[in-house]
């Protein structure tokens, strides 16, 4: 049986990623690719078209700012990706001291944009349970750190379908 979930369509306004609340109310039925091991609906394409390591934003690296982001995205019927969204983020320490709320938004945006650039050009192929190439939704997470492994796994989402269901439920109850 195929797992389906109705998600808000993530419309973006002038920037490459959305940072906070849902920006639209239009719904779109998609297949949820739960994590990188779930290749039933969509799987990464040939090695030449796989995710590249994102480039650490230079200003953040120099300031010693660490963090991680989980970026959600749609997988279109042709295997391309679109409509990127920060699903989860965590900002670690900085050599320059405490990071304010406004700065955190800018940092998340910088880490998110670096991750989105690494997704550009990646192609997915339909999995065995998606011969009709139905649109999907998946995510990737990336840790940025000047130290070794301090945030490894902090932005990992073990089950994307459950995570999104909880986000939609909490948004509906507000």
């Amino acid at each position: 049986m195929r797992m389906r979930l109705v998600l808000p369509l993530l419309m973006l306004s002038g920037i490459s990623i959305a940072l906070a609340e849902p920006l639209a109310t239009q719904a779109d039925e998609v297949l949820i690719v739960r994590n990188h091991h779930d290749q039933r609906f969509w799987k990464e394409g040939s090695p030449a078209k796989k995710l590249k390591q994102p480039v650490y934003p230079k200003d953040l690296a120099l300031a010693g700012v660490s963090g991680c982001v989980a970026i959600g995205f749609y997988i279109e019927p042709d295997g391309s990706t679109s409509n990127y969204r920060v699903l989860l983020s965590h900002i670690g320490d900085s050599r320059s001291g405490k990071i304010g709320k406004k700065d955190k938004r800018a940092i998340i945006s910088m880490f998110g944009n670096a991750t989105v650039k690494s997704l550009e050009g990646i192609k997915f192929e339909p999995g065995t349970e998606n011969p009709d190439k139905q649109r999907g939704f998946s995510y990737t997470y990336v840790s940025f750190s000047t130290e070794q492994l301090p945030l490894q796994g902090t932005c990992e989402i073990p089950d994307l379908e459950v995570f999104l269901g909880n986000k939609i439920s909490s948004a509906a109850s507000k």
Side-chain angles (χ1 to χ4, degrees), residues 5-173:
L5 183 67
V6 176
L7 296 172
L9 181 61
L10 306 172
M11 303 298 289
L12 303 179
S13 58
I15 58 172
S16 57
I17 57 173
L19 288 176
E21 302 81 34
L23 300 174
T25 56
Q26 183 180 359
D28 185 27
E29 191 171 350
V30 297
L31 299 173
I32 301 299
V33 180
R34 291 175 164 212
N35 57 44
H36 66 280
H37 300 295
D38 180 7
Q39 296 188 358
R40 296 170 301 151
F41 305 130
W42 288 99
K43 58 187 176 183
E44 283 189 57
S46 64
K49 296 182 180 177
K50 288 186 180 270
L51 180 67
K52 299 174 198 136
Q53 182 64 27
V55 175
Y56 204 129
K58 185 177 179 180
D59 292 342
L60 298 180
L62 291 173
V65 177
S66 61
C68 66
V69 291
I71 302 290
F73 54 89
Y74 283 99
I75 303 171
E76 300 298 338
D78 68 357
S80 64
T81 59
S82 69
N83 293 27
Y84 307 102
R85 177 175 193 74
V86 174
L87 299 177
L88 185 63
S89 63
H90 178 79
I91 302 302
D93 296 327
S94 165
R95 285 193 290 265
S96 61
K98 189 170 174 130
I99 299 171
K101 192 174 188 177
K102 185 177 179 183
D103 292 332
K104 283 185 179 183
R105 290 183 63 85
I107 291 166
I108 291 166
S109 180
M110 291 171 78
F111 284 150
N113 283 322
T115 303
V116 167
K117 283 182 184 177
S118 73
L119 286 165
E120 291 174 351
I122 190 172
K123 283 286 200 174
F124 286 82
E125 296 174 357
T128 56
E129 295 182 34
N130 190 15
D132 298 333
K133 299 181 181 181
Q134 185 175 345
R135 192 176 197 209
F137 188 83
S138 189
Y139 89 103
T140 190
Y141 73 95
V142 178
S143 294
F144 296 88
S145 180
T146 55
E147 302 169 19
Q148 291 194 336
L149 305 176
L151 296 171
Q152 194 66 25
T154 305
C155 288
E156 183 174 9
I157 301 171
D159 189 324
L160 184 59
E161 187 172 14
V162 170
F163 176 85
L164 293 172
N166 291 340
K167 284 281 193 190
I168 291 169
S169 295
S170 76
S173 66

